[in-house]
Amino acid sequence: MSAFNAIGQEREVDQNEFTPEIEPQATWCPGCGDFGVLKALKGAAAELGLDPEEILLVTGIGCSGKLSSYFDSYGFHSIHGRSLPVARAAKLVNPELTVIAAGGDGDGYGIGGNHFMHSARENHDMTYIVFNNEIFGLTKGQTSPTSPKGHKSKTQPEGSAKDPLRPLSMSLSAGASYVARTAAVNPNQAKEILVEAIQHDGFSHVDFLTQCPTWNKDAKQYVPYIDIQQNEEYDYDITDRREAAEAMYETESALWDGTVLTGRYFKQEERRSYHEEKIATGAMPDTPIAEQYFAEETEWKRSYELLDAHR
């Protein structure tokens, strides 16, 4: 059995099935890159043949947080920086569910940076999309962890004195098993990368460059961009950690100089996900908790009974 009848069904899915009836039209600012994320995600889910009821989309706070309102699936709008722990818990109790978490660069790399680091380290089987526009958008234009040094904003009127965070390098060093960067202005590549990320068995991190024409005009539109898999100048093995680290460092440095590099940077196969590791140690039940909930024969233990074993 599965906790949801839709899980495991094979059928053709139209991407319009992911457009909600209650709020079908997204209300981001005209020209916002978030529209590109939504379009790519709908296309990827449809290409994978996923039913809306097979997906849980957990979002944080910020402009990106509305993604769960504009994408028709199971959704959870969490508090600031906390989309990942909610997503992790859902995946652990129902591992057959396709779990996607999303947030902005402030939400994910700043306030939720601790959760990001440890979710990557533990290799939870989920996809994490970070809307990276190098600014706090919803709160009207404050400097974010990825804002370039010298960037002027309401919180840094004289210019940021801090070097920006390197999200790809951070993800790799923390332990993510799939790392990629794409951009809203490259819809075909964006959909392809999201398809790969969702299919990947482990923690997939997609740094999604999303232009903010309202509060970060300095970032322009992230064009022209270079797909490193389509350019002969960038030839390296995405399964080699050392080569991936060098490519990420070059990519992050180039962005600050105005060159936009995108593509797949690292992919690690044959590594068990966190859930698989917990199964192997005997710390997780063979029957997922979500399925136990629907089984009449399940005998639930009281919390104090579980704690007694550790006294």
Side-chain angles (χ1 to χ4, degrees):
M1 68 173 283
S2 80
F4 300 99
N5 293 331
I7 293 179
Q9 292 184 355
E10 294 184 5
R11 67 180 183 86
E12 289 189 9
V13 179
D14 188 283
Q15 69 177 27
N16 290 325
E17 294 183 42
F18 298 100
T19 300
E21 295 181 4
I22 296 177
E23 199 168 6
Q25 180 58 52
T27 56
W28 291 304
C29 298
C32 177
D34 294 5
F35 288 99
V37 183
L38 177 61
K39 181 179 179 181
L41 182 57
K42 287 181 178 180
E47 184 170 317
L48 290 169
L50 293 170
D51 189 284
E53 293 184 9
E54 292 183 87
I55 302 171
L56 170 65
L57 176 58
V58 185
T59 55
I61 298 298
C63 298
S64 59
K66 293 291 287 181
L67 185 67
S68 56
S69 297
Y70 304 143
F71 184 85
D72 197 19
S73 68
Y74 287 104
F76 192 104
H77 198 161
S78 70
I79 60 177
H80 215 175
R82 304 299 184 262
S83 64
L84 283 173
V86 174
R88 283 159 44 178
K91 185 66 177 182
L92 286 174
V93 300
N94 190 5
E96 291 185 60
L97 196 63
T98 297
V99 176
I100 301 167
D105 45 304
D107 182 85
Y109 300 148
I111 297 163
N114 179 55
H115 296 301
F116 171 53
M117 177 175 64
H118 291 292
S119 296
R121 178 177 68 90
E122 296 166 358
N123 199 34
H124 289 268
D125 184 19
M126 64 180 64
T127 300
Y128 188 37
I129 304 171
V130 180
F131 295 53
N132 184 3
N133 57 13
E134 302 177 90
I135 199 78
F136 277 98
L138 187 66
T139 49
K140 309 300 185 286
Q142 294 80 19
T143 298
S144 84
T146 56
S147 297
K149 190 173 184 178
H151 179 266
K152 295 182 179 181
S153 69
K154 293 179 178 180
T155 51
Q156 304 285 338
E158 304 302 323
S160 175
K162 298 173 283 189
D163 288 323
L165 181 144
R166 294 177 177 269
L168 303 178
S169 299
M170 178 180 172
S171 182
L172 179 70
S173 62
S177 52
Y178 181 93
V179 185
R181 167 175 279 177
T182 188
V185 293
N186 191 352
N188 292 332
Q189 182 206 55
K191 186 183 79 169
E192 292 171 0
I193 283 178
L194 288 183
V195 166
E196 294 175 11
I198 294 170
Q199 286 180 317
H200 178 70
D201 185 14
F203 188 78
S204 298
H205 169 222
V206 179
D207 185 69
F208 211 123
L209 298 175
T210 54
Q211 69 275 9
C212 179
T214 302
W215 299 109
N216 193 15
K217 294 179 173 61
D218 293 343
K220 308 300 182 185
Q221 300 293 315
Y222 296 114
V223 291
Y225 56 81
I226 298 172
D227 185 332
I228 60 173
Q229 269 76 46
Q230 303 297 325
N231 191 299
E232 295 180 356
E233 292 185 24
Y234 305 93
D235 182 22
Y236 74 99
D237 182 3
I238 66 170
T239 64
D240 186 289
R241 184 177 292 273
R242 185 179 298 274
E243 291 187 28
E246 293 175 356
M248 290 175 181
Y249 190 89
E250 180 178 357
T251 293
E252 291 159 337
S253 299
L255 181 64
W256 307 331
D257 294 329
T259 301
V260 183
L261 303 179
T262 63
R264 296 84 165 163
Y265 287 87
F266 183 67
K267 185 174 184 179
Q268 183 181 29
E269 303 281 10
E270 307 303 326
R271 178 184 169 194
R272 291 190 297 199
S273 68
Y274 183 75
H275 181 262
E276 291 169 332
E277 292 284 5
K278 296 291 280 185
I279 288 288
T281 61
M284 290 290 291
D286 292 331
T287 303
I289 294 174
E291 294 188 6
Q292 293 183 37
Y293 184 82
F294 290 94
E296 295 181 0
E297 66 274 12
T298 299
E299 294 183 6
W300 295 100
K301 291 185 177 181
R302 309 294 295 181
S303 59
Y304 63 81
E305 294 179 305
L306 298 173
L307 293 173
D308 284 342
H310 299 281
R311 289 180 177 176

